[in-house]
Amino acid sequence: MNQNAVRSITIVGGGSSGWMTALYLNRLYNHQQSHVAIRLIESKDVGILGVGEATVHSIRFFFAAMGLDESELLRETNATLKTGIMFNNWMQPVDGQIHQYYHPFEHQALGNILDISTSWLLRSRHLFERYDQGVSLSAHLMQENHCPKMPDSKPFEGITPYGYHLDASEMARFLRRKAVQAGVEHVEALVNEVKVEQGNVKAVVTDKGEFSSDLFIDCSGFKGLLIEALKQDNWQSFTDELPCDKAVAMQVAYKDGQTPRSYTTATALSNGWAWEIDLTSRRGSGYVYDSRYLDKAEAEHELREHLGSDVEVLKTLHLDMKVGCRKEFWVGNCIAIGLSGGFIEPLESTGLHLINIGAKLLSTHISSTQTAQATRDSYNRLMNGVYDDLKRFIVLHYCLTDRDDTEFWQNAQRSVDYCPLLKQQLQAWQHKTCEYMDLAGGYATTFTDENYRFILYGMGHYPDLHIPYDEASCDQIFQRLNFMSQRALQVTMSHQDFLESVQGAVQDISTPEQAV
């Protein structure tokens, strides 16, 4: 091995960020034989922040690449499938009806001459259906609480993309077990000191001894234990654009007869929004809010009112959120991943996605213990671009609202003023369909023009189009989609049937042993 090759990596902090990163790097470097010693240090006294239990669909590819068994993952993390998000109350009611739309993970690419989105707009189909109903299969699956799985679907595959609802604590334990089995060294210790020498982390001192390494990865959460020791004044806040800075989270028991939904819900309340995420064991709910308008007691009271007086609350947790990201994620020989690197409010479930991107980009940038500054600059530029793109997409949800019932929502309409590129795009989208090239060259590839259209048109921001078109050709597109939607419902399983089949697979396996 070259004398400048990386031989050891120490990760400080467990949770989702630490164990996802450890598993990924160990898989990359040590899949056939051990080349890089990977160690993770975590304290048993530090709890796991369970805000981001929902995921985007691309996380499937991470789990599959790690060689995980999907059924085992689902069972061990009390997981359900997520086909998209249902948004409620983000616009003023119309004719006494609460505004509602879906943001699914899938968009059909139908249409030979005019694309399906432009055809939907030209045919004024908003008069009798939502945009998501007119261009996706997933919306119809969610409406009937089906999932994308057929009885014979392969692991990590379905007729449409899907993500997961996961118990974050159980997922961290599951990944820890898999990582340790694969050879990652696990040290349970409390870090007391970070030794810095010439702009690098030389060692971390713990109650179990001192640990040195070629590279250190900071997964210590909002406090950024290592990265802060190397560089202060290294944070850029997003609070002007995204002012929600606190959350109250609740674990809620299912009522008799309730079954898990195959989608997340995000309901706008007085000064923020509430999530509902269904696991097999319970429902996770929470209220992301702006503390300038609500204190903790008021936020908890409003969330309880939203959930209903008859719900059984199992646990309540109040959380502070530090919204923004590092100016430099990579300083010296230390890289910040997860909450230590940055945080975007969980409206689009991007927490695990950002960890995945951080780890993957790191793997392509590590080439030597003598890291060139150009390499650090490249990583920092890319990660900053990812966060900026995601910030802009989240702002889109707020700035389109017509709600003016509280000062919070009045200010939300002006949040676009802090995103000049988005403001420019919105002006163009008043007169044209949002298309791929409008967003080409961005960093956050999970959210493309397809995703932007679901939000734009879901919230009633349609362009004024005057394009000649053939009515019959357009209508054929939607006849085709209607046929495909009916077929999708025929061949897919109900969400509950799929979850029961995952649990039943364990019983089938254990039956012969029980018989013996």
Side-chain angles (χ1 to χ4, degrees):
M1 191 180 255
N2 187 289
Q3 63 178 358
N4 291 330
V6 173
R7 291 179 171 81
S8 60
I9 298 173
T10 293
I11 301 166
V12 175
S16 301
S17 59
W19 288 112
M20 282 179 65
T21 303
L23 198 62
Y24 183 86
L25 294 178
N26 190 69
R27 181 83 168 180
L28 176 68
Y29 294 124
N30 304 323
H31 58 279
Q32 289 186 325
Q33 56 181 314
S34 181
H35 295 288
V36 180
I38 297 175
R39 173 193 301 119
L40 188 145
I41 302 171
E42 67 174 343
S43 170
K44 65 178 181 180
D45 298 323
V46 177
I48 297 169
L49 188 60
V51 171
E53 290 178 334
T55 77
V56 296
H57 72 89
S58 58
I59 203 69
R60 286 178 298 132
F61 307 132
F62 172 85
F63 290 142
M66 295 304 100
L68 301 179
D69 179 276
E70 186 178 38
S71 292
E72 183 185 13
L73 169 71
L74 291 166
R75 289 191 298 268
E76 293 293 322
T77 62
N78 300 320
T80 64
L81 300 188
K82 173 186 171 181
T83 314
I85 304 172
M86 181 173 71
F87 287 91
N88 296 314
N89 208 32
W90 286 76
M91 301 286 286
Q92 292 183 15
V94 177
D95 298 327
Q97 297 295 313
I98 292 178
H99 179 263
Q100 182 181 96
Y101 71 97
Y102 286 128
H103 175 200
F105 291 132
E106 157 266 343
H107 186 296
Q108 289 298 307
L110 300 179
N112 294 322
I113 299 175
L114 288 177
D115 63 279
I116 188 172
S117 298
T118 303
S119 299
W120 187 89
L121 293 164
L122 290 171
R123 295 297 285 140
S124 299
R125 293 180 69 89
H126 68 278
L127 297 174
F128 56 87
E129 71 178 2
R130 298 191 312 265
Y131 176 73
D132 55 84
Q133 294 171 320
V135 302
S136 76
L137 305 181
S138 300
H140 299 274
L141 296 179
M142 287 188 276
Q143 195 72 42
E144 300 300 326
N145 206 26
H146 271 230
C147 70
K149 292 282 193 179
M150 298 185 294
D152 58 350
S153 289
K154 296 179 181 178
F156 301 108
E157 293 183 8
I159 68 165
T160 62
Y162 62 90
Y164 304 98
H165 300 131
L166 300 153
D167 184 314
S169 300
E170 295 300 333
M171 189 189 78
R173 296 186 185 99
F174 175 70
L175 295 182
R176 177 174 63 196
R177 187 170 74 250
K178 294 298 181 181
V180 171
Q181 289 173 353
V184 174
E185 179 188 359
H186 179 213
V187 179
E188 198 171 80
L190 183 64
V191 175
N192 298 317
E193 181 187 354
V194 180
K195 288 188 174 181
V196 175
E197 185 177 285
Q198 296 181 340
N200 291 303
V201 175
K202 182 180 181 182
V204 291
V205 181
T206 77
D207 57 352
K208 299 288 181 64
E210 183 173 311
F211 299 91
S212 59
S213 199
D214 291 332
L215 289 177
F216 287 86
I217 300 177
D218 189 341
C219 294
S220 63
F222 284 132
K223 60 179 174 285
L225 193 62
L226 306 188
I227 201 77
E228 283 288 328
L230 288 176
K231 188 177 181 68
Q232 298 182 346
D233 190 27
N234 186 28
W235 184 263
Q236 49 190 330
S237 174
F238 298 162
T239 53
D240 287 337
E241 306 95 313
L242 298 171
C244 289
D245 58 349
K246 293 189 184 296
V248 52
M250 292 181 181
Q251 296 180 2
V252 178
Y254 283 119
K255 300 175 185 177
D256 290 342
Q258 276 188 327
T259 57
R261 294 168 296 194
S262 59
Y263 52 88
T264 306
T265 65
T267 303
L269 300 182
S270 69
N271 294 283
W273 59 276
W275 76 79
E276 289 184 51
I277 295 170
D278 290 3
L279 306 178
T280 57
S281 55
R282 60 172 173 82
R283 176 168 289 167
S285 186
Y287 185 7
V288 174
Y289 64 95
D290 187 336
S291 65
R292 293 177 299 177
Y293 304 114
L294 291 177
D295 61 27
K296 291 182 177 181
E298 291 169 330
E300 183 173 335
H301 176 74
E302 187 175 357
L303 178 59
R304 288 179 181 271
E305 279 195 334
H306 166 67
L307 296 175
S309 58
D310 58 340
V311 300
E312 180 187 356
V313 177
L314 305 174
K315 184 179 180 181
T316 301
L317 181 65
H318 288 270
L319 305 165
D320 295 324
M321 301 192 307
K322 187 179 178 182
V323 181
C325 71
R326 299 286 168 186
K327 299 173 186 175
E328 296 181 34
F329 292 75
W330 190 336
V331 179
N333 66 340
C334 177
I335 303 94
I337 292 179
L339 296 180
S340 61
F343 179 73
I344 300 281
E345 65 175 74
L347 184 58
E348 285 286 351
S349 312
T350 51
L352 300 186
H353 172 64
L354 289 167
I355 297 167
N356 187 17
I357 289 178
K360 284 186 175 180
L361 281 176
L362 178 60
S363 71
T364 60
H365 282 71
I366 296 176
S367 59
S368 168
T369 56
Q370 306 299 314
T371 304
Q373 187 56 43
T375 302
R376 297 188 192 92
D377 292 343
S378 172
Y379 185 86
N380 291 330
R381 176 181 59 83
L382 293 172
M383 288 303 299
N384 270 277
V386 167
Y387 274 84
D388 190 61
D389 275 9
L390 289 178
K391 174 190 69 177
R392 196 160 55 248
F393 185 56
I394 300 302
V395 167
L396 181 72
H397 298 65
Y398 285 100
C399 71
L400 296 180
T401 187
D402 63 353
R403 285 188 55 169
D404 58 4
D405 48 305
T406 65
E407 187 177 350
F408 172 84
W409 288 109
Q410 293 167 12
N411 290 334
Q413 295 179 29
R414 296 188 287 271
S415 59
V416 71
D417 292 339
Y418 299 99
C419 300
L421 176 58
L422 178 60
K423 191 171 186 177
Q424 183 181 17
Q425 290 169 326
L426 287 173
Q427 290 171 350
W429 291 333
Q430 293 177 23
H431 310 287
K432 67 180 293 291
T433 305
C434 171
E435 61 178 324
Y436 172 79
M437 290 303 295
D438 293 335
L439 298 158
Y443 297 88
T445 54
T446 290
F447 299 120
T448 66
D449 58 300
E450 295 180 355
N451 306 94
Y452 270 73
R453 287 196 296 271
F454 281 120
I455 310 306
L456 286 165
Y457 307 152
M459 297 185 73
H461 285 255
Y462 311 121
D464 183 22
L465 301 181
H466 301 277
I467 302 172
Y469 66 95
D470 179 68
E471 293 184 3
S473 296
C474 288
D475 290 345
Q476 286 176 3
I477 294 174
F478 301 106
Q479 291 168 7
R480 174 64 178 165
L481 184 86
N482 182 57
F483 171 80
M484 293 170 64
S485 300
Q486 293 179 7
R487 181 62 179 156
L489 288 170
Q490 291 171 356
V491 301
T492 55
M493 305 172 70
S494 75
H495 190 221
Q496 183 63 20
D497 284 348
F498 170 72
L499 296 176
E500 290 177 358
S501 73
V502 171
Q503 296 298 326
V506 179
Q507 296 174 5
D508 291 343
I509 293 172
S510 62
T511 297
E513 295 181 3
Q514 292 172 349
V516 173

